[in-house]
Amino acid sequence: MHIKRKLLASFAAAAFAGAAYGGTASAQSDTDQVVLGKTITKDKEAAGLVPAKFNGSLRLVVSAPYAPWMFFDDKNELTGIEIDVVKTVAAKMGVKITFDNIKFEGVIPSLQAGKADVIAAGMGDNKKREEILNFINYTTLGLVILARDSDKSINGLMDLCGKSVSRINGDVFGPWVEEKLQPKCEQAGKGKIEVRTFPDPNAALLAVKSGSVDTEITGLVSATTIVNSKENGGQFRIIKPDNSPRGWKLANGGFGVLKAETELTKAIEVALKATKAEGTLNAIAEHYGYPDVIIDDIVVNQPEPAGNLGAID
């Protein structure tokens, strides 16, 4: 699949015109966006918080394909949950946006190098990343095990001891295995987990599919997308804890901006809250088949939801 390096957000403005869930505005500006058939217009409060230095335009860095957050449709146009949320938030802020699609491990360096303003790459919030970024969170997700359906030997975390797992370069899954699971395998007198790192989600999945790696540690949404896809029908199954339907290590996720950009952080937060209040945020998630990923309250720099679900210690 050809991946476009630079894409104007407006190319997909009418992509879901047949799935309208509300009326349209009578007048449109060049920063309005059409999402699920509804025209999204500027929110006065959010727009007033956007720093003048951005000159009414923001550069978004994404990492596609990473379904259902961002992927290319049959017209080779960028779409997905995060893309529709970005478009909605940008319209609320009254800004134009462009997308730059790069490898996941490069998204934070892209901001640090001044090549982008906002990360919209299905990224989870954590304390280490917060040393560099402010996170405006609107989702909460957990980690699950993706295994071949034919392999019945893996039914829980401790079954990974002595097995191999794939992960993507730059994600949080590998460190979680090393810090949380490896010590438990050692304490139980079991073999070490072999963590193999791949450059992108497709390569990590192919390794499991081919049998060169036993399992993949990934997010619940991505795993569900893989299991439900026509090309992977019947090949995989998802393993998750009984007491936490969203998986282990529950974490919030959303957009990232550089730590110094406090005004931009606030503008995005206000825009997201307005988007949620009017029902657009939940409608986007439901449209893609994942209505439960939206958190109850938009939060900034709060890596974990309340409670202890999904903990392994």
Side-chain angles (χ1 to χ4, degrees), residues 146-151 164-166 196 198 201-216 226 231-232 235-236:
L146 183 69
R148 291 185 299 278
D149 188 65
S150 59
D151 184 355
S164 56
V165 301
S166 67
R196 295 185 57 188
F198 293 86
N202 288 336
L205 177 63
L206 182 60
V208 180
K209 184 182 288 189
S210 68
S212 64
V213 175
D214 295 312
T215 65
E216 181 179 356
I226 290 167
E231 62 269 28
N232 294 317
Q235 296 187 58
F236 298 99

Side-chain angles (χ1 to χ4, degrees), residues 15 18 33 38 43 56 73 88 114 120 178 211 218 244 248 254 263 283 307:
Q33 294 285 345
K38 179 179 180 179
D43 177 89
D73 63 16
T88 303
E178 296 292 353
T218 189
S244 181
W248 292 279
E263 292 179 332

Side-chain angles (χ1 to χ4, degrees), residues 105-177:
E105 64 264 28
V107 296
I108 293 179
S110 181
L111 261 65
Q112 293 174 308
K115 296 179 180 179
D117 306 310
V118 182
I119 296 172
M123 181 177 279
D125 185 359
N126 63 48
K127 289 298 182 183
K128 185 174 181 180
R129 287 173 176 166
E130 281 184 13
E131 294 175 4
I132 301 170
L133 304 174
N134 284 328
F135 277 89
I136 309 93
N137 296 317
Y138 70 94
T139 67
T140 185
L141 298 169
L143 305 185
V144 299
I145 300 168
L146 183 69
R148 291 185 299 278
D149 188 65
S150 59
D151 184 355
K152 306 302 183 184
S153 67
I154 301 173
N155 297 290
L157 285 179
M158 294 304 292
D159 293 333
L160 296 179
C161 300
K163 302 280 189 175
S164 56
V165 301
S166 67
R167 46 85 62 148
I168 304 163
N169 189 27
D171 67 21
V172 300
F173 309 153
W176 182 70
V177 170

Side-chain angles (χ1 to χ4, degrees), residues 137-140 246 252 272-273 276-277 281-282 291-299 302 305-306:
N137 296 317
Y138 70 94
T139 67
T140 185
R246 288 180 177 176
N252 293 330
L272 269 171
K273 286 181 175 179
K276 189 175 192 306
L281 198 56
N282 291 79
D292 297 329
V293 303
I294 304 300
I295 58 180
D296 293 334
D297 299 301
I298 306 302
V299 292
Q302 183 176 312

Side-chain angles (χ1 to χ4, degrees), residues 72-95:
F72 295 94
D73 63 16
D74 56 5
K75 296 180 181 178
N76 203 32
E77 293 177 340
L78 195 61
T79 189
I81 294 174
E82 190 112 302
I83 301 306
D84 277 4
V85 173
V86 163
K87 288 163 53 183
T88 303
V89 167
K92 291 291 184 189
M93 295 166 64
V95 297

